[in-house]
């Protein structure tokens, strides 16, 4: 096997301390290998000029263009000097400006007719696009030696444009790459030879040379195909190994028992399960019946009946002699699950109590804010096995909690639940319990394969009968203030018809938050003149909006607030009164985003809707239309009609299909935040692969990875692949995969 050390060399050794420091701090590049995997973002062809007409504002750009004219202007009575240079590329013009002592060198060099590469940040001055103080490199030097060098470096060649930063231009990065490129020969090729040859891939050292210094467009395509495949494949091997390791763990098989709790529960259901619920339940029951722990992700739209599917799985486990625990991310949610599950089960949830069913079991709630006596009783019911089902927050994972025989763990909204917690819970069983993870965030298939790659996936995509359609509209509060007035009228009408409404705001608006959020300084004063000096006004706040509504548009209605800083008892009280219909309008933060279920609430107004993400808006909207009356969701925004923010809102208003929206969301944000900041480990290893466009690559890589791991779980016959995996799965990345 080749020596990998040259790729592990620190950049300092080859590039000098100053450059290496900038690369480490601003581009997260530390070793020769890191820099070799810092791929060009695009390529310029010599002589083929970037369209100056398409420059994005406020972005750092690199352009190749010709100097049309250059002139020195004086200002401040001749004390100040400014050099203005006009560039052209046949499609448009661009102004460059240099000030002060910085004008002399460019004035000598940037003569009309000269061609150069320029890099800088695009801004607007006097309604014209300009680059102020760009860095540049001439492409046609006058001196003969220099000229031949420049021609060698650039003529007829594709110029790689690298992701750069203010401190380091693309061509400086290109020069650094030249210094490390010889090391590409030592790159360890992770692909088994049979796979590489079978799919006709370029060898890795060659792919690295081609991606950085392509001779032709075909070189670029070759290199990209190879490098994309590597990323997908190495990641999928890591996930396949994790899945394989999980299947090697022992678990108690929990087989479905006839005439038990589950059958009694099914018999009293007032409706029939949807086809989707039947299909997914069967997948889960099959998993539960095996002697290896189930690891399944259950995706389903808000209201698609995930809780019903999870409850039936829990009942099957109780029938088979085990216990089931359901974990919710917040107390409000845990209480709500407890309420809805005990309601659905009726007397079956009162096992061992007078009047309870002889086939029943106890369903207990365990949260951090419970009183000591109630908590003691719940813990006792768990350890004796009297309680078959427990619902709680991660208070369930504390050391004090002991189970009689934990067979199944259901985790609601996985992305709020870390791996340490998953492991702590696992250790509560005599052997690892089965695991079912539920999420209402629709995840496109490729992202599911990448982010939740260690879980098998089930999808509920039908809405149960009886769910009502939700009409969604964007309310442009700035352009058309009367639309907002009409929105409040609509809310009042819904209440008049016996229904209730939510108003959602991005912020709480209490003083604690003011002080934290904006340094406590003049936060109040800022509000008086929100738009002065172009500053965005602070997001609208629950407490302010509630006061305005009580005193204005909704006076005479019962308006209450709900937010995360309230005492848990206070929150419960408000939620209980809202659920009971005693509160007409609930003004809340996103604490209501997940799982709040009040079928009588039909309208939702989301203030500053452009400050929420697409999937969050979709989640919030899913809180209305849960009963027989149609739902209404109004997205209030001051964003400009042509802005991306408004485009996002229009997309949300146009479809109720969460998978479609998650795709739109992904296309707008690209991968960066899909994998989330917490999962930076893999973010840095997805350099070439885009989770949206490369669905086939990811799916094919997954298939190959599964086959390879099944045949050789320890990868003993593939030492190179093992080496590369070890590099990918350094500490941070291990954690990323675990979060899946």
């Amino acid at each position: 096997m080749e020596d990998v050390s040259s790729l592990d060399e620190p950049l300092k050794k080859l590039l000098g301390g100053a450059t290496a420091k900038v690369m480490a701090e601003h581009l997260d590049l530390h070793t020769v290998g890191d820099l070799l995997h810092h791929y060009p973002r695009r390529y310029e062809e010599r002589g083929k000029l970037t369209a100056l007409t398409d420059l994005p504002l406020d972005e750092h750009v690199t352009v190749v263009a010709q100097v049309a004219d250059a002139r020195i202007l004086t200002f401040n009575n001749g004390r100040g000097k400014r050099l203005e240079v006009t560039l052209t590329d046949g499609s448009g013009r661009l102004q460059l400006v240099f000030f002060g002592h910085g004008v002399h060198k460019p004035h000598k060099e940037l003569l009309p007719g000269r061609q150069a590469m320029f890099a800088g940040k695009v801004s607007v001055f006097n309604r014209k696009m300009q680059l102020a103080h760009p860095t540049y490199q001439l492409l046609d030097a006058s001196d003969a030696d220099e000229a031949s060098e420049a021609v060698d470096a650039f003529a007829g060649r594709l110029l790689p444009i690298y992701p750069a930063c203010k401190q380091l231009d693309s061509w400086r990065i290109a020069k650094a790459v030249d210094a490390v490129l010889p090391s590409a020969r030592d790159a360890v090729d992770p692909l088994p030879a049979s796979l590489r040859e079978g799919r006709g891939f370029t060898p890795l050292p060659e792919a690295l040379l081609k991606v950085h210094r392509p001779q032709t467009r075909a070189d670029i395509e070759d290199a990209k195909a190879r490098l994309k495949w590597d990323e997908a494949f190495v990641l999928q091997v890591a996930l396949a190994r994790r899945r394989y390791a999980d299947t090697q763990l022992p678990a108690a098989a929990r087989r479905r028992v006839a005439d038990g709790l589950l059958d009694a529960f099914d018999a009293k259901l007032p409706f029939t399960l949807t086809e989707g619920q039947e299909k997914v339940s069967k997948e889960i029951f099959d998993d539960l019946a095996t002697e290896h722990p189930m690891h399944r992700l259950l995706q389903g739209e808000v209201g698609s009946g995930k809780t019903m599917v999870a409850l039936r799985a829990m009942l099957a486990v109780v029938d088979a002699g085990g216990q089931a625990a359901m974990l919710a991310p917040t107390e409000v949610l845990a209480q709500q699950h407890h309420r809805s599950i005990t309601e659905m089960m009726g007397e079956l949830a009162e096992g061992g109590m007078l009047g309870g069913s002889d086939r029943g079991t106890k369903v207990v709630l365990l949260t951090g804010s419970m009183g000591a006596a109630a908590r003691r009783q719940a813990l006792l019911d768990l350890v004796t096995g009297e309680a078959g089902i427990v619902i709680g927050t991660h208070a369930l994972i504390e050391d004090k909690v002991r189970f009689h025989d934990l067979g199944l763990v259901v985790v609601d909204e996985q992305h709020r639940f870390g791996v340490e917690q998953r492991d702590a819970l696992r250790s509560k069983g005599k052997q690892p319990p089965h695991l079912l993870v539920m999420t209402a965030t629709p995840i496109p298939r490729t992202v599911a394969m990448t982010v939740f790659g260690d879980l098998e996936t089930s999808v509920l995509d039908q809405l149960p009968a009886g769910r009502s359609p939700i009409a969604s509209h964007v309310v442009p509060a700035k352009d058309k203030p009367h639309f907002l007035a009409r929105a409040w009228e609509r809310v009042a009408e819904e209440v008049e018809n016996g229904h209730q409404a939510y108003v959602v705001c991005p912020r709480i608006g209490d003083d604690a938050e003011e002080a934290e959020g904006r340094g406590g300084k003049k936060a109040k004063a800022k509000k008086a003149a929100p738009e002065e000096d172009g500053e965005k006004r602070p997001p609208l706040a629950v407490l302010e909006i509630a006061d305005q509504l009580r005193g204005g548009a909704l006076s005479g209605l019962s308006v209450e607030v709900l937010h995360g800083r309230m005492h848990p008892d206070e929150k419960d009280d408000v939620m209980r009164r809202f659920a009971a219909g005693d509160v007409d309008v609930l003004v809340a933060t996103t604490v209501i985003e997940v799982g709040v279920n009040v079928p009588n609430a039909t309208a939702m107004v989301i203030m500053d809707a452009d400050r929420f993400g697409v999937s969050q808006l979709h989640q919030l909207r899913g809180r209305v239309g849960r009963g027989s009356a149609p739902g209404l969701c109004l997205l209030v925004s001051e964003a400009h009609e042509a802005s991306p923010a408004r485009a996002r809102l229009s997309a949300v208003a146009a479809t109720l299909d969460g998978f479609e929206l998650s795709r739109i969301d992904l296309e707008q944000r690209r991968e960066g935040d899909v994998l989330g900041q917490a999962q930076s480990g893999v973010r840095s290893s997805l350099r070439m692969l885009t989770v949206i466009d490369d669905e086939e690559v990811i799916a094919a890589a997954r298939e190959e990875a599964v086959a390879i791991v099944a045949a050789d779980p320890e990868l003993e016959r593939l030492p190179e692949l093992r080496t590369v995996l070890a590099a990918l799965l350094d500490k941070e990345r291990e954690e990323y995969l675990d979060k899946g």
Side-chain angles (χ1 to χ4, degrees), residues 367-492:
T367 62
S369 66
M370 278 168 77
R375 190 181 169 78
R376 249 197 322 275
Q377 184 58 51
L379 290 170
L380 189 66
D381 289 340
L382 285 179
V383 78
T384 59
E386 184 98 353
I389 295 178
V390 58
I391 295 156
T393 53
H394 24 250
L396 272 181
I397 309 167
E398 288 170 13
D399 294 344
K400 295 195 261 317
V401 182
R402 291 273 171 273
F403 289 87
H404 178 65
D405 179 12
L406 180 59
L408 168 69
V409 176
V410 178
V411 179
D412 192 15
E413 289 305 325
Q414 156 76 1
H415 55 279
R416 300 163 192 237
F417 198 77
V419 68
E420 309 74 30
Q421 295 159 314
R422 219 155 87 176
D423 285 345
L425 212 93
R426 248 179 210 169
S427 62
K428 299 274 181 201
K430 294 176 178 154
Q431 40 198 6
H434 297 282
L435 178 70
L436 179 65
V437 168
M438 304 197 294
T439 177
T441 310
I443 303 162
R445 177 168 158 257
T446 41
V447 180
M449 278 196 285
T450 314
V451 181
F452 293 97
D454 59 337
L455 301 167
E456 300 301 326
T457 307
S458 298
V459 178
L460 278 175
D461 45 16
Q462 293 165 283
L463 284 188
R467 285 303 299 264
S468 302
I470 304 170
S472 308
H473 304 284
V474 179
V475 178
K478 203 168 188 177
D479 319 340
K480 303 185 175 160
H482 58 285
F483 275 39
L484 182 57
R486 177 70 190 122
W488 298 127
E489 282 170 21
R490 283 291 292 114
V491 170

Side-chain angles (χ1 to χ4, degrees), residues 2 16 44 80 88 101 113 137 192 218 239 242 351 403 548 581 654 669 728:
E2 309 116 317
E44 284 293 356
T88 176
H101 299 305
Q137 179 166 334
L239 292 164
R242 163 124 336 144
F403 289 87
Q548 284 170 24
R669 294 186 305 169
L728 171 80

Side-chain angles (χ1 to χ4, degrees), residues 216-534:
T216 61
R217 290 269 164 199
D219 281 355
I220 300 171
E221 291 317 307
D222 267 8
K224 279 188 167 176
R226 169 64 215 255
L227 296 167
K228 269 183 184 181
W229 178 272
D230 279 16
E231 284 174 18
F233 176 71
V234 172
L235 179 58
Q236 291 301 337
V237 169
L239 292 164
R241 288 188 71 189
R242 163 124 336 144
R243 284 194 302 274
Y244 179 85
D246 281 342
T247 61
Q248 301 311 297
L249 292 170
R254 311 283 177 175
R255 294 190 182 81
R256 201 174 160 174
V257 176
D259 291 332
L261 255 174
L262 179 58
D263 286 350
F265 175 76
D266 283 351
K268 63 192 271 307
L269 275 182
F271 50 82
T272 52
L273 297 172
T274 64
E275 243 171 275
Q277 285 175 319
E278 292 280 13
K279 180 178 129 280
V280 170
S281 290
K282 184 183 178 321
E283 291 171 347
I284 292 172
F285 291 143
D286 289 351
D287 281 358
L288 288 173
T290 62
E291 292 180 352
H292 303 296
M294 159 171 87
H295 285 105
R296 194 166 277 283
L297 172 69
L298 173 56
Q299 287 191 60
E301 282 288 3
V302 170
S304 56
K306 292 185 300 296
T307 312
M308 172 63 69
V309 169
L311 176 56
R312 293 182 72 239
M314 295 199 289
L315 295 175
V317 168
V318 174
D319 277 341
Q323 289 170 296
M326 184 183 231
L327 276 172
T330 64
E331 294 212 353
V332 171
L333 251 182
Q335 284 154 342
Q336 189 154 325
H337 278 313
H338 183 253
R339 250 201 317 274
S340 63
I341 283 175
T342 46
E343 277 166 22
M344 283 197 269
M345 286 177 63
E347 77 281 5
L348 296 173
E350 295 165 3
M353 303 185 230
L354 283 174
S357 156
D358 50 348
R359 274 188 294 195
T361 186
K362 253 191 185 181
V363 178
V364 299
L365 177 68
L366 193 60
T367 62
S369 66
M370 278 168 77
R375 190 181 169 78
R376 249 197 322 275
Q377 184 58 51
L379 290 170
L380 189 66
D381 289 340
L382 285 179
V383 78
T384 59
E386 184 98 353
I389 295 178
V390 58
I391 295 156
T393 53
H394 24 250
L396 272 181
I397 309 167
E398 288 170 13
D399 294 344
K400 295 195 261 317
V401 182
R402 291 273 171 273
F403 289 87
H404 178 65
D405 179 12
L406 180 59
L408 168 69
V409 176
V410 178
V411 179
D412 192 15
E413 289 305 325
Q414 156 76 1
H415 55 279
R416 300 163 192 237
F417 198 77
V419 68
E420 309 74 30
Q421 295 159 314
R422 219 155 87 176
D423 285 345
L425 212 93
R426 248 179 210 169
S427 62
K428 299 274 181 201
K430 294 176 178 154
Q431 40 198 6
H434 297 282
L435 178 70
L436 179 65
V437 168
M438 304 197 294
T439 177
T441 310
I443 303 162
R445 177 168 158 257
T446 41
V447 180
M449 278 196 285
T450 314
V451 181
F452 293 97
D454 59 337
L455 301 167
E456 300 301 326
T457 307
S458 298
V459 178
L460 278 175
D461 45 16
Q462 293 165 283
L463 284 188
R467 285 303 299 264
S468 302
I470 304 170
S472 308
H473 304 284
V474 179
V475 178
K478 203 168 188 177
D479 319 340
K480 303 185 175 160
H482 58 285
F483 275 39
L484 182 57
R486 177 70 190 122
W488 298 127
E489 282 170 21
R490 283 291 292 114
V491 170
E493 285 163 18
E494 288 297 310
V495 173
E496 225 164 280
N497 293 333
H499 298 302
Q500 293 157 279
Y502 298 100
V503 178
V504 181
C505 303
R507 215 165 48 91
I508 299 172
D510 56 4
D511 291 341
E513 177 193 62
E514 295 288 350
E516 290 161 33
R518 291 189 297 284
K521 288 194 192 101
K522 299 197 181 147
K524 295 282 187 278
K526 190 75 221 159
K527 279 183 209 153
E531 295 302 334
E532 66 185 7
D533 66 337

Side-chain angles (χ1 to χ4, degrees), residues 560-574:
E560 293 277 0
V561 301
L562 182 71
H563 59 75
R565 283 226 188 81
M566 288 162 63
H567 187 277
D569 295 349
E570 218 183 327
K571 273 195 271 197
D572 278 358
D573 177 53
V574 172

Side-chain angles (χ1 to χ4, degrees), residues 162-237:
Y162 287 92
C165 60
K166 198 163 81 202
Q167 295 77 1
L168 206 60
D169 298 316
S170 170
W171 50 82
R172 296 220 174 100
I173 295 172
K175 280 189 170 146
V177 169
D178 284 335
V180 301
L181 214 45
S183 304
R185 286 191 304 268
D186 302 333
V188 174
D189 199 324
L191 295 193
S194 58
L195 193 160
R196 191 180 70 229
E197 285 148 22
R199 289 186 175 265
F201 285 130
T202 308
L204 182 58
E206 193 185 319
L208 288 169
L209 284 171
K210 280 181 170 177
V211 79
H212 288 293
R213 298 294 172 262
Q215 300 298 313
T216 61
R217 290 269 164 199
D219 281 355
I220 300 171
E221 291 317 307
D222 267 8
K224 279 188 167 176
R226 169 64 215 255
L227 296 167
K228 269 183 184 181
W229 178 272
D230 279 16
E231 284 174 18
F233 176 71
V234 172
L235 179 58
Q236 291 301 337
V237 169

